[in-house]
Amino acid sequence: MPETTATIAPTESPRGTGRSRRLHVSDEFDGVMARIAEIAPMIREDGPAGEDLGRPTPRVLEALKEIGVFRAMLPREVGGFEFSPRQQLQLMEALSWHEASTGWTVLGVIDQTALVAAYVDDIAVDEYFGDGFAIFSGQGTRPGRGRRVEGGYVISGEWQFNSGSSVSTHLETAVVGDDGRFVMATLPREKSTDVDNWDVLGLRASSSHDYRVDEVFVADTHTYDPVDGVARRGGAMFDVGLAYLATLQHAGWALGVCKRLLEEIRLLARQKASRRGASTSTDQFYAAYASMEAQYRSARAFLLELWGDVERTVDAAEAPSAEQISLMQLGTVTANRTAQSIATEVATWAGTTLIRKGAIQRYFRDAYTGVEHLVCSPPVQQAVGKQLSGSAAEGARWVFYDLVESAGQS
């Protein structure tokens, strides 16, 4: 059974926005997961074709839209399902289990779209979600430039890794204004230029190419403050923190990769069982497989435990502590390092199957690509360790993926 959390009746936010401060657990979750299981054969079948196209196939994207996958995190006020964090974790695991690049494509847009819906002004929300349904991709870790003008900013810049661009209609992109403000600016994709440079080891079907914007006006109503901004819509999930909702997606993605790698090596072992001298019929392989299974299940249990704790915290209208934020990030690092470790072990036992086109090779490449993301980087892991070990300065706090300590302390 999928793990869930009880929904408690909403209360008005003490911050004056009128939004609920209670955690919502969606009744749509089981139905969405069941429909994903129904289309799983198609998602898997189209995996190789997606690599050739550089994006998931049109029929896969259309099926995901029909199911409502792109509405999973969206606040209920704008027609979304508003999955809880643990529901979202399991959604990403399921999608990536069936096809890693498809999962990454969803990862690239699902939280971006939800955050825009939760934070921007009513004027922008009416434009984006009133009569239709905008889908956002973009980049928030390397800001562009904003020139302050009356009513907004004229933005320019170049950004990397626009994951999910094959399905997005709009951009959410980081900008630092010449007035010193750091904002997320939203705009139609048609006002940007794609850079065709997604020639990579893995995740080839995720369309994570770069993009640039040249002198485009974005009104203040279509921006929001990602550091100190207050969510206008959505429940307690949006009190987790913008960066850590993105971290959550990467954790679920890695679990799906682990699960598929284990499935594929089991299948290969059965296929080779009748062959004399097959390495996958040895006691050494059995022990290695048991270790891989334990790694995956341990990472998954850790994530469900820590996110359950976070859910209880935000449901009580409290902000996650520095330790909880450290654990959120540690869970994602652990899941991705586990996927990398399992990929390496599977490669040891796959033999020549690894070097030929197929799911094992594809997932090996995907695991080694996904783990290179910022959320899994050594500096993040080091900062997490510093905070959890008690070595950080008193009062140290997280700002996105940086552990900020008081001046004069280390």
Side-chain angles (χ1 to χ4, degrees):
M1 287 288 292
E3 292 80 358
T4 59
T5 305
T7 305
I8 304 174
T11 57
E12 184 172 338
S13 167
R15 295 179 296 186
T17 63
R19 53 178 280 261
S20 168
R21 289 298 303 280
R22 284 296 176 77
L23 183 74
H24 177 66
V25 179
S26 177
D27 292 337
E28 302 288 344
F29 175 70
D30 290 340
V32 170
M33 296 292 280
R35 294 196 64 191
I36 288 173
E38 291 173 2
I39 67 167
M42 178 182 67
I43 296 174
R44 291 182 176 219
E45 180 183 347
D46 284 13
E51 282 217 318
D52 293 337
L53 289 170
R55 63 183 186 278
T57 63
R59 69 171 184 164
V60 166
L61 291 177
E62 188 58 35
L64 294 175
K65 289 179 183 178
E66 289 179 4
I67 289 172
V69 164
F70 298 108
R71 296 180 181 270
M73 279 187 70
L74 206 64
R76 287 173 291 165
E77 294 95 319
V78 294
F81 301 151
E82 200 174 321
F83 281 6
S84 70
R86 283 188 289 178
Q87 288 178 327
Q88 188 60 34
L89 185 76
Q90 293 170 86
L91 171 68
M92 288 307 308
E93 179 185 28
L95 289 170
S96 301
W97 173 36
H98 298 310
E99 180 50 46
S101 281
T102 297
W104 197 275
T105 297
V106 174
L107 174 156
V109 300
I110 197 168
D111 64 325
Q112 303 257 35
T113 303
L115 291 170
V116 171
Y119 280 87
V120 295
D121 188 273
D122 289 343
I123 293 174
V125 162
D126 288 344
E127 176 183 329
Y128 294 147
F129 305 104
D131 295 327
F133 174 45
I135 298 177
F136 288 81
S137 62
Q139 178 58 261
T141 57
R142 191 180 72 175
R145 307 173 303 280
R147 187 176 74 254
R148 186 66 191 172
V149 297
E150 184 178 356
Y153 294 91
V154 175
I155 72 168
S156 298
E158 296 182 1
W159 294 263
Q160 293 180 307
F161 307 127
N162 189 20
S163 300
S165 61
S166 60
V167 69
S168 66
T169 59
H170 289 70
L171 289 173
E172 178 199 41
T173 198
V175 173
V176 173
D178 57 9
D179 57 0
R181 291 189 64 214
F182 177 43
V183 299
M184 298 299 292
T186 65
L187 63 155
R189 274 276 314 280
E190 63 197 33
K191 294 187 177 181
S192 68
T193 301
D194 292 340
V195 180
D196 186 15
N197 62 349
W198 190 239
D199 183 10
V200 289
L201 174 70
L203 295 173
R204 294 176 180 174
S206 67
S207 300
S208 301
H209 53 68
D210 298 356
Y211 64 100
R212 69 173 183 268
V213 175
D214 300 304
E215 293 286 297
V216 173
F217 174 74
V218 178
D220 288 330
T221 52
H222 290 59
T223 70
Y224 70 89
D225 181 343
V227 179
D228 298 316
V230 175
R232 299 166 181 262
R233 298 158 210 94
M237 178 180 67
F238 294 97
D239 294 326
V240 167
L242 281 68
Y244 317 121
L245 288 177
T247 297
L248 170 68
Q249 313 307 317
H250 287 270
W253 177 85
L255 290 179
V257 171
C258 292
K259 188 173 181 179
R260 183 64 178 273
L261 283 164
L262 291 172
E263 176 188 328
E264 292 296 331
I265 197 63
R266 287 197 308 271
L267 176 62
L268 183 63
R270 287 197 297 271
Q271 292 172 345
K272 290 185 173 182
S274 61
R275 299 183 191 178
R276 184 177 178 181
S279 62
T280 48
S281 296
T282 63
D283 289 342
Q284 187 177 359
F285 169 73
Y286 302 148
Y289 182 85
S291 178
M292 290 188 289
E293 187 80 34
Q295 289 178 62
Y296 159 63
R297 290 178 181 272
S298 297
R300 191 175 193 273
F302 176 39
L303 284 162
L304 289 169
E305 176 186 349
L306 75 88
W307 278 101
D309 185 52
V310 171
E311 287 180 357
R312 288 185 289 273
T313 296
V314 296
D315 189 52
E318 298 175 5
S321 66
E323 179 177 317
Q324 285 177 310
I325 293 173
S326 293
L327 290 172
M328 288 184 236
Q329 296 183 92
L330 180 59
T332 296
V333 172
T334 299
N336 279 270
R337 295 295 177 196
T338 297
Q340 182 185 35
S341 175
I342 290 175
T344 302
E345 190 67 38
V346 165
T348 299
W349 299 101
T352 56
T353 300
L354 176 70
I355 65 175
R356 302 183 187 279
K357 276 190 174 184
I360 286 181
Q361 186 207 90
R362 192 166 68 251
Y363 270 77
F364 177 87
R365 292 188 281 104
D366 292 343
Y368 267 82
T369 301
V371 78
E372 295 301 324
H373 195 277
L374 171 65
V375 297
C376 310
S377 65
V380 170
Q381 186 172 10
Q382 291 158 16
V384 165
K386 186 174 186 180
Q387 195 282 320
L388 290 175
S389 68
S391 302
E394 185 177 354
R397 69 190 190 283
W398 286 101
V399 178
F400 292 106
Y401 305 114
D402 294 322
L403 185 64
V404 178
E405 302 182 82
S406 301
Q409 294 179 301
S410 60

